Amino acid sequence: MYKSIKGTKDILPAESARWQFVERTLRDIFHRYNYKEIRTPIFEQTSLFARSIGELTDIVGKEMYSFTDRSEESITLRPEGTASVIRSFIQNNLDQIQPLTKVFYIGPMFRQERPQAGRLRQFHQFGAEAAGSPTAETDVEIISLAVEIYRKFGLKNFQLKINSVGDEDCRPRYKELLKKELLKVADKLSPESQKRIEQNPMRVLDSKDERDKELTAGMPLITEYLNEECSVHFERVKALLSTCNIPFVVDGKLVRGLDYYTKTAFEITSTALGSQDALAGGGRYDLLVKELGGKPTPSVGFAAGIERLMMILENNHFEFPEPAPALFLAAADDDSREWIFKRANELRSQGIAVEIDLLARSLKAQMKEADRQNAEFSVVIGKTELQNGTAQLKNLRNHSQKQILLSDLEKELQ
Ligand code: AMP
């Protein structure tokens, strides 16, 4: 028997309505902020991701699903959304259409991670990017959009952490300083962190290892070494968040796993998630568009996992709307089945969701099925009903019923 690949999941018919509801809600919120959807291919040239996400990151170093296709080109299933969006932005000259491009995406991402609770190999993200503005207002629009999504779904125990990771001027200086500090305790750090000291020292601060955490506890933080420009920007972001009543904490150790961030970095976490507690992450990436061959374009964005949002909603017993047939048309005898079959199709083309029996079941079994399908109404059709042109319209939710003309079914159900 075939099984799905480790770390992948089917979204079964019983769950898909929940996904559709979540996606509808997301689209609605994106629309309110005037972000338009972009749909990029799920695979791209491998070098696009290597170049943008960074050769030394976990994603590029060990998690990408890459393969050589039949024309010997190295292809990768997208591990995240931003690189593809920016590739498309440059390729399609989106900057010429308007000075600020605001887009969102929803779709599957692929990373070969060790499968565990909250970590899948095919998972789904939604995210937004605003390309073309250096202002702190843009950072805060992106952050408030992300926060609004969780508020809209009624989440309470989530936290917004923000940091500034500096820019190409102040970050290298800070990195050197941090490197010196880390080298002093290098032999005591975890092997993973030891490897990072040279190339990616800021990631050491972000280590989950308890011993690493202790050793780096008092080390200098980037926020103390920002240059004037980054510092002013960071202060403005904080002030705007306060103005908008968005609670946050500054976490000087927040660096995020991707290389392309400059200035603002943020994460939304939830204690309801366990060890994989990140709901969403994002930040400003002023250098990425140029790095990928476009004109310098200051940009900011975020990405968030749908499975993790779903997990919380389900734990919270969120009341998802469950789609159900409006009407179950049941046959009391075999002679009425043809009439029912035709009538059901007429009603469906009038926009009414109708279910009928396709398994030649008894009336009792049909009524059971109507309940199982959670139909709102049922009508039983037999010889008498067809002769009189009337029937009982039964409300299956409150068990009331009334006599109606069969020709009035549409009217009664609308
Ligand atoms: P990242 O692109 O790594 O910053 O991830 C952004 C968000 O995507 C995270 O906060 C998670 O909610 C989600 N996410 C990332 N990796 C996975 C994964 N392997 N499985 C499920 N969700 C993930």
Side-chain angles (χ1 to χ4, degrees), residues 328 330 361-375 378 396:
F328 195 100
R361 282 174 287 191
S362 69
L363 181 57
K364 196 169 156 217
Q366 291 179 61
M367 296 323 292
K368 229 175 162 175
E369 185 63 31
D371 277 334
R372 182 177 23 228
Q373 298 291 341
N374 199 22
S378 71
L396 297 176

Side-chain angles (χ1 to χ4, degrees), residues 7 59 63 79-82 105 109-126 150 256-258 260-261 266-269 273 276-282 302-309:
I59 294 182
E63 295 171 359
E80 57 102 50
T82 305
Y105 58 85
M109 305 293 162
F110 307 85
R111 296 182 197 172
Q112 190 160 8
E113 304 204 64
R114 199 162 50 82
Q116 49 178 300
R119 273 201 186 283
L120 288 157
R121 292 182 166 180
Q122 173 172 339
F123 58 100
H124 297 78
Q125 284 187 337
F126 57 90
Y150 298 112
R256 312 257 315 117
L258 295 73
Y260 50 61
Y261 289 110
F266 70 94
E267 215 162 68
I268 297 176
T269 57
L273 278 174
Q276 301 301 323
D277 67 350
L279 274 173
F302 84 95
I306 301 189
E307 282 82 358
R308 292 192 194 172
L309 169 60

Side-chain angles (χ1 to χ4, degrees), residues 166-211:
D167 63 9
E168 73 276 34
D169 164 53
C170 56
R171 186 162 41 189
R173 283 203 298 272
Y174 166 73
K175 268 188 172 173
E176 278 311 308
L177 191 115
L178 180 62
K179 219 189 291 181
K180 277 196 198 122
E181 290 300 309
L182 290 170
L183 284 170
K184 290 182 197 163
V185 296
D187 54 333
K188 299 191 197 90
L189 289 168
S190 67
E192 195 64 18
S193 287
Q194 290 188 15
K195 273 188 253 157
R196 287 186 170 138
I197 296 179
E198 272 311 312
Q199 307 280 7
N200 211 347
M202 287 167 73
R203 282 300 307 282
V204 180
L205 297 183
D206 188 39
S207 165
K208 297 257 187 291
D209 184 286
E210 285 305 321
R211 182 109 175 90

